[in-house]
Amino acid sequence: MDLLVELPRLRPRLVILTLALIALTGVPVAIYLITRAPATPPIAFSEFLHHVERERVTQVTFQERHLQVTLKDGQVLKTVPPPEFLAANAAFVTDMVKRNIRVDATALPDPNELNYPAIVTGLAFFGLICFTVYRTTAGRIPSMSGRTRVAVRGDNVVTFQDVAGVDEAKDEVKEIVDFLREPERFSSLGGRIPKGVLLVGPPGTGKTLLARSIAGEAGVPFLFASGSDFVEMYAGVGASRVRRLFKEARRHPSCIVFIDELDAVGRSRGGSSLSHEEREQTLNQLLVEMDGFETQRGIVVIAATNRQDILDPALLRPGRFDRHVTVGNPDIKGREAILGVHARKITMAPVVDLRSIARGTPGFSGADLANLVNEAALLAGRAGRATVTNSDLQEARDKVMMGVERRSVVLSEMDRANCAYHEAGHAVIAALLPNADPLHKVTIIPRGRAMGVTMQLPEADRHTYTKSYLETQIAVLMGGRVAEEIFMNHMTSGASNDIERATDIAQHMVCEFGMSPLGPLAFRKPGNAFEADKHHTVSEATAQRVDEEIRTLVMNAYDHATWIINKNKAAVRLMAEQLLEQESLDAAEIKDILARSNARI
Ligand code: ADP
């Protein structure tokens, strides 16, 4: 494992701090309560004179406003002389001395003397206030947190072998490894090595992994920080963290500084709110730091983002993040390779077909695939098997794709029947329309948030979509609602997600893909402020036509689905009955049902 070392930070151990505070406030109060003289009510002055007369008094102490009287039997009493009594009767004191009474006085408290209990209590309260502020601001007091993590070489360093499916990106960063290994070779030639490399790609594609593998290959420390760590509510905190990160980097002769989620701090500048100012300061500090170190030093800053378009242009200038490397979702070969990398870490059965799993996981990122292999290992472990089999991998894929089965959910007969017809409706349309992706599985076991799932798997990765493919997709989505209406005679809320997705596809077709009679124009999607800048703003009349075209696309697909299902009622009924009986149907079983019921369009 790479060793992740946290830079020192004064993170309060909450329990110890709380106990210390209780001790600080509690102890002085307790001492005061214990040492305080018990409050006895004063006796009448005449009574005191009476005690003096009867020779019962041994000692009188003059205090600030009263006299403390000690009797021969050890009793201590208090009395308050009438005003001016002592001034008028000076002989009274000498008289007492004559009677063998010890007379003394306590000094008045010196106003300059330090009152330690009061100071301690005050400090304790101050501490308590600081602590409360710290808690309510979630620990974001500047000096109290810094989140740079440094990975130093441990015994499990990530290398290029651990990163698969992103060969072009690997090729592009190879020269950085060479440079970090032998900086002199490059600098003696006067070559300039990029200070900053920006890895651009969706989440989970292995950007962090790639950066770590560069450090691993070159054998240099890996300093990790996330852009969101720099975004703080206190002005100047983010900037000071950036400074700290680079200070740490300069302590090493060569190293990789990795900043994840660069867009969190690197958004285009502008705006007036306070958080903007803070972010601007942080961004400026980052620019200053990047300009500050010479290229000859072996420090390379690598940042990751999936929103290159919103980054401040200053960040992308030469000398900063001027090298851009795209890290995309892997294709089928890449997915197989990534599965291979992760399969090495677990015990696989000798005959696992990673290729077919790779084929069945279009759109999966590297992180999804790593998750899939891990899920498969857990499934095998739960079943008590020593090795992970193909069926474990397939089940894990379904789990990652469709969510976990929720067998504990109890559906009423009515809901089950409704769900069975709904899914059968999707499935029959998908099976019969020529452009649809092949069916993989239909199930009425609740998974994730869905009551049932109809799963299609494209045969190959799709990078572009034809108009007829998208129309087919909307028709498949409508199939569920249509089947409910035809067979159950009602509509349910279960179709809401289908409706949402269908509307979304239709909207894209009209507003972005130019696939409607409105022509190849980009129209602004309502309520999307970011898109608003880029897209052509439309007139009220056009907006109305956009809405109409979206509706037409969805309604046409709905009518098409109704026509197909009406024509193939037997197939839908048979499939629903089979689903109610066995809950899940695979591709072969679906095919068999369609053949038996002579389904066609
Ligand atoms: P990103 O930084 O792009 O969001 P990560 O590097 O954090 O993605 O990837 C998360 C995990 O997914 C990695 O730790 C690794 O296990 C797995 N992974 C992602 N991409 C790949 C890949 N190309 N090869 C091997 N494993 C990968």
Side-chain angles (χ1 to χ4, degrees):
M1 267 282 294
D2 276 18
L3 199 56
L4 283 181
V5 191
E6 297 250 328
L7 285 186
R9 70 167 137 155
L10 298 171
R11 204 165 173 216
R13 304 261 154 77
L14 292 186
V15 179
I16 297 177
L17 200 68
T18 316
L19 288 177
L21 279 172
I22 291 172
L24 271 176
T25 35
V27 170
V29 172
I31 291 174
Y32 173 72
L33 287 176
I34 292 166
T35 54
R36 197 175 59 145
T40 43
I43 54 168
F45 193 67
S46 58
E47 200 176 325
F48 160 66
L49 293 178
H50 197 66
H51 284 308
V52 174
E53 278 303 309
R54 299 266 168 100
E55 311 259 311
R56 286 197 200 131
V57 178
T58 57
Q59 181 173 347
V60 171
T61 310
F62 285 73
Q63 294 192 335
E64 197 179 349
R65 280 190 207 92
H66 63 265
L67 305 181
Q68 185 176 300
V69 183
T70 313
L71 300 187
K72 281 185 176 150
D73 60 3
Q75 247 192 99
V76 180
L77 304 169
K78 208 163 91 178
T79 185
V80 182
E84 313 302 326
F85 170 84
L86 292 172
N89 298 279
F92 177 67
V93 175
T94 22
D95 185 39
M96 283 203 292
V97 174
K98 274 187 201 147
R99 286 172 191 269
N100 260 344
I101 297 174
R102 199 178 128 87
V103 178
D104 64 0
T106 50
L108 285 179
D110 179 355
N112 296 325
E113 199 179 301
L114 293 178
N115 183 347
Y116 287 104
I119 290 172
V120 170
T121 315
L123 280 177
F125 272 111
F126 181 68
L128 195 69
I129 290 167
C130 289
F131 177 66
T132 317
V133 170
Y134 176 81
R135 289 303 308 263
T136 47
T137 55
R140 293 194 282 191
I141 287 174
S143 62
M144 287 205 182
S145 48
R147 313 226 179 99
T148 325
R149 272 168 273 157
V150 191
V152 291
R153 249 195 122 106
D155 47 5
N156 187 8
V157 166
V158 178
T159 65
F160 280 159
Q161 279 193 355
D162 300 294
V163 192
V166 283
D167 294 340
E168 292 97 352
K170 260 198 308 200
D171 285 343
E172 287 200 50
V173 297
K174 262 189 189 131
E175 73 172 26
I176 294 170
V177 175
D178 294 337
F179 164 71
L180 287 172
R181 276 196 191 138
E182 300 172 82
E184 316 80 40
R185 189 158 69 96
F186 284 79
S187 48
S188 64
L189 288 172
R192 197 177 67 87
I193 270 295
K195 281 186 196 173
V197 180
L198 188 64
L199 303 179
V200 185
T205 44
K207 298 182 290 298
T208 313
L209 193 70
L210 189 63
R212 283 179 66 194
S213 71
I214 297 172
E217 286 284 331
V220 299
F222 179 71
L223 275 68
F224 175 95
S226 174
S228 53
D229 295 347
F230 298 130
V231 182
E232 291 292 344
M233 64 191 226
Y234 296 104
V237 179
S240 86
R241 291 223 179 107
V242 172
R243 227 171 295 134
R244 231 183 322 154
L245 174 66
F246 281 86
K247 196 169 152 202
E248 173 66 23
R250 284 198 199 89
R251 287 181 39 211
H252 304 276
S254 56
C255 68
I256 298 274
V257 176
F258 180 69
I259 304 175
D260 205 359
E261 303 174 53
L262 181 67
D263 41 294
V265 20
R267 268 165 197 272
S268 296
R269 284 170 285 188
S272 58
S273 77
L274 234 139
S275 69
H276 264 103
E277 270 173 36
E278 154 66 355
R279 200 166 48 210
E280 221 162 272
Q281 266 193 29
T282 312
L283 178 54
N284 285 338
Q285 187 63 41
L286 182 63
L287 297 174
V288 167
E289 294 288 350
M290 285 197 72
D291 292 342
F293 60 78
E294 327 81 66
T295 21
Q296 282 74 17
R297 300 245 349 223
I299 302 177
V300 176
V301 188
I302 302 181
T305 180
N306 61 342
R307 295 295 306 271
Q308 190 189 352
D309 50 337
I310 58 167
L311 289 183
D312 196 290
L315 269 174
L316 309 176
R317 269 192 214 127
R320 288 155 185 179
F321 292 104
D322 48 3
R323 172 81 59 100
H324 301 170
V325 177
T326 308
V327 189
N329 271 332
D331 59 6
I332 179 163
K333 259 177 60 198
R335 291 198 296 271
E336 189 179 349
I338 295 175
L339 285 170
V341 164
H342 291 281
R344 278 207 306 263
K345 298 175 197 158
I346 60 175
T347 327
M348 286 281 179
V351 281
V352 260
D353 185 5
L354 293 182
R355 175 110 212 164
S356 82
I357 300 292
R359 192 174 313 121
T361 46
F364 269 46
S365 67
D368 293 332
L369 293 167
N371 188 11
L372 186 159
V373 174
N374 187 45
E375 283 292 339
L378 292 180
L379 285 172
R382 214 172 295 152
R385 277 191 293 277
T387 55
V388 176
T389 63
N390 234 359
S391 68
D392 289 328
L393 287 168
Q394 272 163 6
E395 198 177 330
R397 177 199 48 201
D398 289 356
K399 197 168 156 183
V400 175
M401 253 185 168
M402 311 194 284
V404 188
E405 285 186 1
R406 290 189 303 148
R407 285 183 183 271
S408 58
V409 177
V410 183
L411 295 183
S412 67
E413 275 313 301
M414 175 75 173
D415 279 343
R416 275 190 89 226
N418 194 65
C419 185
Y421 278 100
H422 183 106
E423 297 307 328
H426 285 313
V428 168
I429 309 263
L432 294 178
L433 282 179
N435 280 314
D437 289 325
L439 278 164
H440 169 65
K441 197 172 191 170
V442 184
T443 168
I444 56 164
I445 302 170
R447 269 179 186 272
R449 280 175 50 221
M451 299 275 255
V453 179
T454 299
M455 192 172 145
Q456 296 165 268
L457 277 184
E459 271 159 347
D461 293 350
R462 284 184 190 277
H463 301 291
T464 52
Y465 304 102
T466 61
K467 185 176 176 213
S468 64
Y469 174 78
L470 294 172
E471 284 170 342
T472 302
Q473 265 206 323
I474 303 180
V476 172
L477 287 166
M478 290 292 123
R481 159 56 60 90
V482 171
E484 278 179 28
E485 285 183 76
I486 293 178
F487 291 91
M488 307 295 291
N489 260 327
H490 61 201
M491 298 181 189
T492 69
S493 58
S496 68
N497 183 253
D498 298 337
I499 293 173
E500 197 179 316
R501 280 167 56 199
T503 316
D504 197 47
I505 295 174
Q507 196 168 42
H508 274 88
M509 289 172 73
V510 177
C511 300
E512 285 171 48
F513 307 154
M515 291 178 181
S516 78
L518 292 179
L521 289 163
F523 301 110
R524 185 209 315 187
K525 269 191 273 171
N528 192 334
F530 179 67
E531 301 284 339
D533 301 339
K534 294 199 332 193
H535 286 191
H536 160 69
T537 318
V538 297
S539 67
E540 193 64 30
T542 315
Q544 218 161 26
R545 287 193 60 199
V546 167
D547 290 342
E548 274 162 25
E549 289 306 330
I550 294 172
R551 182 167 185 279
T552 308
L553 277 173
V554 177
M555 287 318 292
N556 283 349
Y558 177 85
D559 292 342
H560 197 185
T562 312
W563 180 76
I564 297 174
I565 289 184
N566 267 326
K567 201 167 167 206
N568 293 284
K569 276 186 175 164
V572 179
R573 192 170 290 124
L574 186 59
M575 196 178 294
E577 279 161 8
Q578 286 293 310
L579 276 174
L580 286 170
E581 203 177 300
Q582 59 188 78
E583 294 194 325
S584 292
L585 299 171
D586 62 23
E589 289 166 325
I590 297 168
K591 216 168 168 181
D592 180 53
I593 290 171
L594 294 172
R596 273 198 284 151
S597 50
N598 202 17
R600 72 194 128 85
I601 45 173

